[in-house]
Amino acid sequence: MASKNILMLISEWGYWGEELVGPVEACDKAGYNITFMTPTGQRPTPLSVSCAPGYIDPPLGRSVTSEEMGKKTVALDKSGRLDKPKNLAEWVPQRPYPSSPTYLRDMEAYYKRTDAIIDNELGQYDAFVIVGGSGALIDLANNSRVHQLILGFVKLNKPIACECYGVACLAFARDFREKKSLIWGKHVTGHPIDYDYVDGTGFEGPHALDGSNKGFGDGYINFGPPFYPLEYIMRDAVGPSGEFIGNVGHETSVLVDYPFITSRSTASSLKCGEILIKVLEEGMTRYGW
């Protein structure tokens, strides 16, 4: 296997441990280089419940974190690998605000910079991975910088793997002028409404509560239910010729409709990493539908 470079984006409001460990282990085993990135360069924090094997997932009525995976999440958190992530906000500019009096000039500068990133910088990466967990609802899903990177990887015809709530980034990523979702007509999976919490959708990290990042598990916020039912958004985003496939009742759900690799939730994380390697090494373009 030739060494490849993977860009891995993680929320600063709490990621689910296994949803980072899964693709990281697969990429490490394949001998790939990983560049970790967060929205503002803050160190990401694993959600405490994703490190606790005794935590019972309300919709499933069982623990979704094994003893082994809990230990792996803690070990990765303490390894130092996540200490200095790439800063997305410093790299990709914010899309100009339409009501700005200098909007047209701002857009010219914006496209000049983002085109340069796509043409001269994204080429060093072979794939883009967006890690899941509830934090993705806050700082990834509606982040125009994330959307621009997705557009760039699509333009370069390179794979984009999204897990759990991170899949929402695909629904909202679209050309600013055409405003049509990139996944229109595609087959995708993601966190189905059957798996959504009624209470307990939590957030942790450097921005939670007092803005400090004192340590593992500090600053927990319980929002209750998720902000929106991801399944409904995905069903609308793929349109009548696409399909959202939740595979509810099946242990895992990972789909490939190239260049997109989508993964349902925690239990599918290891499979997502495995499929990412097959896409990169074997040229897989379709899987799971």
Side-chain angles (χ1 to χ4, degrees):
M1 280 185 193
S3 180
K4 289 182 170 57
N5 298 309
I6 310 300
L7 182 62
M8 203 167 289
L9 177 63
I10 312 168
S11 170
E12 294 174 6
W13 286 86
Y15 65 88
W16 195 276
E18 188 166 346
E19 291 172 20
L20 177 61
V21 172
V24 165
E25 283 194 341
C27 290
D28 285 349
K29 184 178 179 180
Y32 295 171
N33 303 307
I34 302 174
T35 297
F36 296 104
M37 180 171 66
T38 59
T40 66
Q42 295 284 326
R43 188 184 187 282
T45 302
L47 293 163
S48 297
V49 291
S50 72
C51 308
Y55 173 74
I56 302 300
D57 185 80
L60 296 177
R62 61 176 172 79
S63 174
V64 293
T65 303
S66 68
E67 189 78 35
E68 178 186 17
M69 190 56 67
K71 290 179 179 178
K72 286 182 177 180
T73 297
V74 173
L76 180 57
D77 176 64
K78 296 183 180 299
S79 69
R81 295 181 68 179
L82 305 173
D83 287 351
K84 295 181 179 180
K86 186 176 180 69
N87 187 330
L88 174 62
E90 289 184 351
W91 183 29
V92 179
Q94 179 71 41
R95 184 174 288 161
Y97 190 59
S99 295
S100 167
T102 58
Y103 177 66
L104 293 179
R105 301 288 79 77
D106 294 343
M107 285 301 291
E108 289 174 359
Y110 174 77
Y111 280 122
K112 183 177 180 180
R113 173 59 184 144
T114 55
D115 286 348
I117 290 173
I118 294 169
D119 295 339
N120 305 319
E121 300 177 47
L122 282 192
Q124 66 180 298
Y125 300 108
D126 296 282
F128 186 28
V129 176
I130 299 177
V131 176
S134 54
L137 293 165
I138 294 182
D139 59 358
L140 302 186
N142 192 28
N143 188 325
S144 69
R145 292 182 168 98
V146 178
H147 302 163
Q148 194 60 42
L149 283 185
I150 292 172
L151 287 164
F153 275 89
V154 169
K155 181 179 179 180
L156 297 175
N157 196 34
K158 295 187 176 186
I160 302 158
C162 300
E163 301 176 282
C164 191
Y165 288 121
V167 174
C169 298
L170 299 180
F172 300 132
R174 53 195 71 197
D175 185 279
F176 194 54
R177 293 153 294 193
E178 297 178 5
K179 298 181 174 64
K180 186 176 182 180
S181 174
L182 287 180
I183 56 172
W184 188 266
K186 292 291 186 178
H187 297 76
V188 298
T189 192
H191 207 279
I193 194 167
D194 311 73
Y195 283 34
D196 284 346
Y197 290 4
V198 174
D199 182 44
T201 303
F203 306 99
E204 296 175 72
H207 302 298
L209 295 183
D210 61 1
S212 68
N213 188 18
K214 298 176 182 177
F216 185 67
D218 289 337
Y220 177 80
I221 300 173
N222 177 7
F223 186 82
F227 305 142
Y228 47 77
L230 176 62
E231 177 178 342
Y232 294 169
I233 288 173
M234 299 305 292
R235 287 187 181 279
D236 291 345
V238 297
S241 59
E243 187 176 4
F244 176 88
I245 304 172
N247 281 318
V248 175
H250 295 268
E251 185 175 350
T252 62
S253 181
V254 179
L255 271 62
V256 179
D257 195 345
Y258 197 86
F260 306 113
I261 305 165
T262 51
S263 172
R264 185 178 63 200
S265 59
T266 306
S268 302
S269 304
L270 294 174
K271 189 70 174 179
C272 182
E274 173 191 327
I275 294 300
L276 173 63
I277 304 305
K278 288 188 176 182
V279 169
L280 288 169
E281 297 296 333
E282 301 174 15
M284 177 187 285
T285 59
R286 173 173 174 162
Y287 177 82
W289 56 280

